[in-house]
Amino acid sequence: MSEPGQTIAAVALGSNLGDRAAHLRFALEALSRLPSTRLVARSSCVQTDAVALPGSAPGAAGGPYLNAAAILSTGLAARELLTHLLAIERQAGRHRDRGNRWGPRTLDLDLLVHGDAVINEPDLMVPHPRLYERPFVLEPLAQIAPSLSIPPHGRTVRQLLADLGASVPGGHAAPGKGGRG
């Protein structure tokens, strides 16, 4: 899927403020213009309820999200790619507020995977630390990369969905599990 000197990266996209579909289109277009990077695949959009931090006020997380995923072939290092993702968020009107980490946002771009890298730094964790527990990230990713191996254990996106008992794109329940109601 990638050329020599390139790394496969997976990015989650989400929006729950304003024209959500336009924000996701903007992000995908911006991803396709990144230096040393090619947009390999993009999922369809999936609408999900916003996830609020336990104990937060009703509605604190905002309205429903549109979520999608993208696969990139990139020559950018993980930190460089993250810098570009944050710049795209800012261009879409996102203002990160550490005090309101789980609040509504025009655009949220998360670096999920960068090749087989495992990075654990205060402001960069790859693979994304909550990737394994989020069907709203795994389902769009499974549309475009069900066999993508997630480091460090090498479980595929399809296997991670099965672990959650979530629906696998294509209308099939994950093997051995019931689909979502």
Side-chain angles (χ1 to χ4, degrees):
M1 208 188 294
S2 69
E3 301 97 39
Q6 298 285 102
T7 299
I8 292 299
V11 176
L13 300 87
S15 176
N16 75 334
L17 282 179
D19 188 340
R20 301 169 305 156
H23 293 307
L24 295 187
R25 284 191 304 272
F26 169 80
L28 288 164
E29 179 62 30
L31 289 172
S32 74
R33 292 190 317 266
L34 291 178
S36 304
T37 301
R38 182 172 57 89
L39 179 63
V40 174
R42 62 184 187 191
S43 72
S44 64
C45 294
V46 176
Q47 182 166 296
T48 60
D49 290 332
V51 177
L53 193 60
S56 62
Y65 267 86
L66 278 187
N67 294 291
I71 298 293
L72 307 174
S73 176
T74 186
L76 299 173
R79 179 149 311 275
E80 289 177 288
L81 182 53
L82 177 63
T83 298
H84 284 285
L85 297 181
L86 295 174
I88 294 167
E89 286 182 351
R90 285 190 301 275
Q91 291 168 8
R94 168 92 187 262
H95 302 287
R96 286 186 173 258
D97 176 5
R98 292 226 183 252
N100 190 17
R101 184 173 174 197
W102 299 88
R105 59 220 39 194
T106 54
L107 184 61
D108 186 31
L109 299 177
D110 289 331
L111 179 55
L112 302 173
V113 175
H114 191 273
D116 59 1
V118 176
I119 303 168
N120 191 0
E121 299 173 4
D123 60 343
L124 176 60
M125 295 182 76
V126 177
H128 191 283
R130 289 172 298 286
L131 167 65
Y132 307 94
E133 63 194 43
R134 292 183 166 173
F136 62 88
V137 171
L138 290 168
E139 287 172 0
L141 188 57
Q143 289 179 14
I144 56 175
S147 299
L148 180 67
S149 178
I150 308 297
H153 306 295
R155 304 216 10 107
T156 67
V157 172
R158 184 176 300 279
Q159 289 169 326
L160 294 175
L161 269 174
D163 292 347
L164 295 175
S167 297
V168 175
H172 305 288
K177 309 277 183 168
R180 289 194 304 182

